[in-house]
Amino acid sequence: MQLRHPCHRLRLIYRQQFRYLATKYSGRVVVEAEDGRSFAVEVDAPTLHTDSRGYALPRRDLICKVSQILKSRPSPSSDPFLDLSDYLDTLTITLTPSEASEVLKSLKSPNLALRFFRFCPSEIPKFRHDCFTYNRILLILSKSSLPNRLDCVREIVDEMERTGIRGNISTVNLLIGTFGDGQGNGVNELTRCLGLVQKWDLKLNCYSYKCLLQAYIRLCNPDKALEVYQQMRRRGYRLDIFAYNMLLDALARDQKVDQVHKVFEDMKKWHCEPDEYTYTILIRMTGKLGKPGESLSFFLEMLSNGISPNLIAYNTMIEALAKGHMVDKSIFVFSKMVENSCRPNEFTYSIILNVLAAEGQLGRLDEVVEISKRYMNKSIYAYLVRTLSKIGHASEAHRLFCNMWSFHDRGDRDAYLSMLESLCNSKKVTEAIDLLNKMNEKGVQADSFMYNTVFSALGKLKQIPHLHDLYEKMKRDGPTPDIFTYNILISSFGRAGEVGEALKIFEELENSNCKPDIVSYNSLINCLGKNGDIDEAHMKFIEMQEKGLNPDVVTYSTLIECFGKTEKVEMARRLFDEMLAAGCYPNIVTYNILLDCLERSGRTSEAVSLYAKLKEQGLAADSITYTILERLQSGSHRTSRVRRKNPITGWVVSPLRWHVNKD
């Protein structure tokens, strides 16, 4: 039919500038209304444009439409893949593999991409994936975090081999990168990749070798990595600086010293200039081998090549010298580090501090501080104070702390806490209290943890007047006491025999925002029982149960020893049975307490039965247990003995001699 009106020719596209590479559809009018306002058009199948290689150019409008359908929010009554199938049925020409690849690229969800990949050959007539769509889905899976991604990749590769699709070198590179990330049975998978190279008649290029080398390194197989490197050399391929550093680091960690030196020489021969990371690897290796002289040679070579060491390089060099006990050279390199405006970190100072302490030269710490005074801030001071306190150099820590106090207007909480702990551990409680009172002058607010540290030290030393005064100051000026404060005070007053004060603190605890816990009751029961008020201790035991607190092994052990001390053996035995019935399993301390009680009261058969129960529970007898058993065998139980404090519970019990049963 001959068209006469220009409007009868119809192009179903927008202007070319708005629809780049869009498909042009031409048609003929087959039905036209009398008024000319409506007509039907018969559309011819479009001719797809191709590139210079003959591949069909993708239709962007079609790609966008398919992607839009797949990424639309699914409703309970519809499936986007059903909608996509309906849409594709309306097209005269089907989706091409290159267009499917573009759709895959646009999908963010790996699961959705994999489902679309499976959809294409199963639902689109005559569709067959090519190498490029396979590469696209392999790339998506390799970058995904799917837990089964490796299994999915294996299935894809199996499918390629089964359907006879020949991959290209990009396919192999993707597989090497996927299987060489350190997961699964990587070495076998890489062997399969190399088998595919032969099967598909491909040749590894420089990038392939680099991927393979890095894969073996990630799989902690430096021998294979070295083999790959040697193959590259024979083929004339070169590594970049990143790959060289990876190989050197892997060989150095595996202590392949000769190979490291050989690769390093090759690196320079092939005009790949080493950087600071290269030299750091070599310095670390020689330092670990105890060859600080060689480490220093590499360091000087780095400087002569005009390479400025970074923080890691300086720290590695100082660590190598410190390991070789070279204090002077360690400090010299440290001074050069500061001179070159490389800021030391805590690790730097820890290396210097450790070598000075090991060589008995902590007096030179002032020299180190002076060298780096422009970098000495509160954080570094705090770190040094904490470290010195931990390694037992309290006087040096205190001297450095005083320097920080003098030179900084505001203090550091961690440093102050470390200094408090150091003073308390050294039993310098007066200085600790003084520091606690002066913290606010440096803008540091003393908290309950700091007060509790000092309370604990005062309690151990039975410094009751100081304990009273500091507690009153805390209640007056803050901070508010917490549950740990109350528990420490109850235990401290009980240790000093101040039962009335312990009860007073317990009452204050009950009236505060905190409520007594098991530790609170255990401390009070311990206090009452140790000072002879067994009935009140038992009442507190009943009270804690009424308040919904389940007694633990410490509670039962304390009361059992309490009753045993007052020769109320039946009560001790009854409490032990109650403990078992409540599901609270006794430990070796509990058994020792009750065994000692039964032995002292002459109830030998019961003691033997209790020992059998101890063995049934699977507990290991200790020296105290064997001492009690020796007394049972010798029949040396007496009604009066010299008493001493039990180092575990604090109770006064019969002395138990140190003895080890050879049987």
Side-chain angles (χ1 to χ4, degrees):
M1 179 179 180
Q2 189 72 25
L3 298 177
R4 297 179 179 179
H5 199 279
C7 68
H8 289 173
R9 291 290 293 178
L10 181 64
R11 295 180 184 272
L12 301 179
I13 61 167
Y14 295 109
R15 294 176 182 269
Q16 186 70 16
Q17 59 265 35
F18 298 113
R19 297 285 300 281
Y20 179 67
L21 292 178
T23 305
K24 297 181 180 180
Y25 294 87
S26 298
R28 295 178 299 278
V29 176
V30 293
V31 178
E32 183 177 2
E34 293 182 359
D35 57 3
R37 297 178 64 86
S38 63
F39 49 85
V41 178
E42 185 178 84
V43 180
D44 296 329
T47 301
L48 297 181
H49 296 281
T50 60
D51 61 13
S52 59
R53 296 175 298 173
Y55 291 108
L57 292 173
R59 294 164 288 178
R60 301 296 171 185
D61 55 334
L62 180 59
I63 294 168
C64 292
K65 181 63 177 178
V66 172
S67 301
Q68 182 182 5
I69 293 173
L70 292 176
K71 290 189 286 188
S72 62
R73 189 182 299 275
S75 63
S77 59
S78 68
D79 182 355
F81 285 92
L82 292 178
D83 296 338
L84 176 60
S85 183
D86 292 340
Y87 170 71
L88 293 177
D89 287 342
T90 65
L91 300 180
T92 305
I93 190 167
T94 59
L95 205 66
T96 65
S98 63
E99 290 165 345
S101 177
E102 292 294 322
V103 173
L104 286 169
K105 182 179 178 181
S106 70
L107 301 177
K108 303 298 182 184
S109 168
N111 283 321
L112 184 61
L114 189 59
R115 190 177 174 191
F116 174 70
F117 181 83
R118 299 297 186 197
F119 168 87
C120 290
S122 62
E123 300 295 332
I124 301 177
K126 299 181 180 180
F127 185 94
R128 189 167 185 258
H129 283 301
D130 60 12
C131 176
F132 299 104
T133 52
Y134 275 110
N135 285 354
R136 179 71 68 188
I137 193 63
L138 288 172
L139 178 62
I140 292 171
L141 291 172
S142 68
K143 293 182 176 180
S144 74
S145 57
L146 295 176
N148 62 333
R149 69 185 186 92
L150 293 181
D151 293 332
C152 292
V153 170
R154 293 187 189 99
E155 289 178 8
I156 296 294
V157 177
D158 292 341
E159 182 181 316
M160 289 182 72
E161 293 191 272
R162 187 171 59 253
T163 56
I165 299 297
R166 180 177 177 273
N168 56 22
I169 196 63
S170 297
T171 315
V172 175
N173 293 345
L174 282 169
L175 293 175
I176 290 173
T178 303
F179 292 121
D181 63 354
Q183 300 181 11
N185 193 357
V187 175
N188 290 341
E189 300 291 357
L190 292 180
T191 303
R192 183 185 182 187
C193 292
L194 296 177
L196 291 175
V197 172
Q198 294 181 344
K199 182 176 182 179
W200 291 337
D201 194 23
L202 302 174
K203 290 185 179 180
L204 296 178
N205 56 27
C206 183
Y207 181 74
S208 306
Y209 277 113
K210 181 181 174 182
C211 291
L212 192 60
L213 182 143
Q214 293 177 353
Y216 280 125
I217 289 174
R218 292 192 185 97
L219 293 171
C220 301
N221 195 331
D223 292 325
K224 282 287 187 181
L226 192 59
E227 288 180 14
V228 173
Y229 169 71
Q230 291 166 348
Q231 292 177 25
M232 291 186 70
R233 283 190 58 213
R234 288 194 293 269
R235 294 179 179 273
Y237 293 137
R238 301 181 183 182
L239 291 176
D240 57 18
I241 185 64
F242 178 78
Y244 264 119
N245 286 344
M246 280 191 69
L247 179 59
L248 286 170
D249 186 57
L251 294 172
R253 291 179 186 277
D254 206 38
Q255 297 184 353
K256 299 184 182 297
V257 181
D258 294 337
Q259 290 88 335
V260 169
H261 286 290
K262 182 67 172 64
V263 172
F264 181 61
E265 292 302 320
D266 286 347
M267 181 180 182
K268 293 189 288 186
K269 185 187 301 182
W270 285 89
H271 306 292
C272 182
E273 295 297 329
D275 60 9
E276 64 270 25
Y277 298 102
T278 314
Y279 284 107
T280 301
I281 292 166
L282 298 172
I283 292 168
R284 182 186 297 115
M285 179 188 72
T286 50
K288 287 183 177 179
L289 293 172
K291 299 178 179 180
E294 290 187 24
S295 300
L296 193 57
S297 297
F298 283 122
F299 186 77
L300 295 175
E301 181 181 326
M302 175 172 57
L303 296 178
S304 65
N305 289 340
I307 300 173
S308 298
N310 56 17
L311 175 63
I312 298 174
Y314 273 118
N315 283 349
T316 306
M317 186 66 249
I318 295 172
E319 188 177 23
L321 294 171
K323 187 174 181 179
H325 310 287
M326 297 180 175
V327 177
D328 292 335
K329 289 184 178 179
S330 298
I331 294 177
F332 174 75
V333 174
F334 178 80
S335 66
K336 289 299 179 184
M337 177 182 186
V338 175
E339 185 180 313
N340 292 327
S341 300
C342 183
R343 187 187 193 96
N345 62 1
E346 289 185 358
F347 183 68
T348 318
Y349 287 102
S350 71
I351 299 169
I352 299 289
L353 200 59
N354 287 332
V355 71
L356 291 178
E359 298 301 313
Q361 299 185 38
L362 271 178
R364 299 188 66 179
L365 184 59
D366 291 337
E367 180 184 346
V368 174
V369 172
E370 180 62 26
I371 290 172
S372 59
K373 60 183 178 182
R374 61 171 165 153
Y375 294 128
M376 289 298 297
N377 53 27
K378 293 182 294 183
S379 175
I380 297 298
Y381 270 117
Y383 174 76
L384 292 175
V385 170
R386 289 198 307 270
T387 306
L388 286 167
S389 299
K390 287 179 182 177
I391 62 178
H393 295 279
S395 58
E396 289 292 334
H398 189 258
R399 187 168 58 81
L400 198 64
F401 180 81
C402 292
N403 288 342
M404 182 181 68
W405 184 280
S406 302
F407 292 118
H408 291 277
D409 294 332
R410 296 186 64 82
D412 181 274
R413 180 193 177 276
D414 290 340
Y416 281 59
L417 179 58
S418 296
M419 198 66 250
L420 271 179
E421 292 174 341
S422 179
L423 291 171
C424 290
N425 291 336
S426 303
K427 300 181 181 180
K428 297 179 180 180
V429 289
T430 305
E431 291 86 342
I433 294 172
D434 186 53
L435 177 60
L436 198 62
N437 293 332
K438 290 182 178 180
M439 280 186 188
N440 60 342
E441 296 178 14
K442 294 294 183 178
V444 177
Q445 190 67 35
D447 55 29
S448 58
F449 188 85
M450 294 178 176
Y451 271 92
N452 293 343
T453 301
V454 181
F455 282 140
S456 182
L458 291 171
K460 290 176 182 177
L461 297 173
K462 299 183 181 180
Q463 297 281 348
I464 301 304
H466 285 311
L467 203 62
H468 272 295
D469 294 343
L470 190 61
Y471 178 56
E472 292 300 322
K473 180 182 182 302
M474 184 182 189
K475 290 194 294 183
R476 183 178 65 252
D477 303 331
T480 305
D482 57 17
I483 184 64
F484 301 103
T485 310
Y486 290 113
N487 290 345
I488 291 169
L489 290 173
I490 294 169
S491 178
S492 299
F493 285 125
R495 186 182 292 110
E498 299 282 343
V499 181
E501 289 295 331
L503 286 168
K504 179 182 174 183
I505 296 297
F506 190 84
E507 290 175 5
E508 291 184 18
L509 169 59
E510 291 182 306
N511 296 325
S512 70
N513 293 328
C514 306
K515 295 302 174 186
D517 58 8
I518 290 180
V519 178
S520 312
Y521 275 102
N522 286 349
S523 299
L524 187 61
I525 290 170
N526 181 40
C527 168
L528 294 168
K530 183 172 68 173
N531 291 281
D533 199 345
I534 181 62
D535 292 333
E536 184 66 21
H538 194 213
M539 290 297 295
K540 290 297 179 185
F541 173 77
I542 297 172
E543 179 183 303
M544 72 180 292
Q545 290 177 304
E546 292 174 348
K547 290 187 175 181
L549 294 173
N550 295 323
D552 60 9
V553 66
V554 176
T555 321
Y556 282 109
S557 299
T558 302
L559 267 182
I560 289 170
E561 189 164 6
C562 217
F563 287 122
K565 172 186 172 183
T566 55
E567 298 182 359
K568 297 182 178 180
V569 183
E570 289 299 331
M571 283 295 295
R573 190 59 197 259
R574 189 184 309 165
L575 199 60
F576 183 82
D577 294 337
E578 180 184 326
M579 177 184 186
L580 294 174
C584 181
Y585 292 99
N587 56 24
I588 191 61
V589 176
T590 317
Y591 276 107
N592 286 344
I593 290 170
L594 188 55
L595 278 171
D596 183 63
C597 171
L598 294 172
E599 186 273 331
R600 284 191 291 109
S601 61
R603 303 169 74 156
T604 306
S605 60
E606 291 184 48
V608 173
S609 299
L610 185 65
Y611 177 70
K613 185 176 291 186
L614 179 155
K615 301 296 287 184
E616 288 175 6
Q617 191 176 324
L619 293 174
D622 59 12
S623 59
I624 296 178
T625 317
Y626 289 128
T627 302
I628 299 171
L629 293 176
E630 183 187 75
R631 296 206 314 261
L632 282 170
Q633 292 173 354
S634 63
S636 61
H637 50 274
R638 295 172 292 176
T639 56
S640 61
R641 291 194 185 98
V642 179
R643 302 214 179 249
R644 69 171 181 85
K645 283 187 179 179
N646 186 299
I648 300 174
T649 64
W651 296 107
V652 178
V653 297
S654 300
L656 302 175
R657 291 169 290 144
W658 180 271
H659 180 75
V660 178
N661 193 324
K662 294 182 180 179
D663 296 334

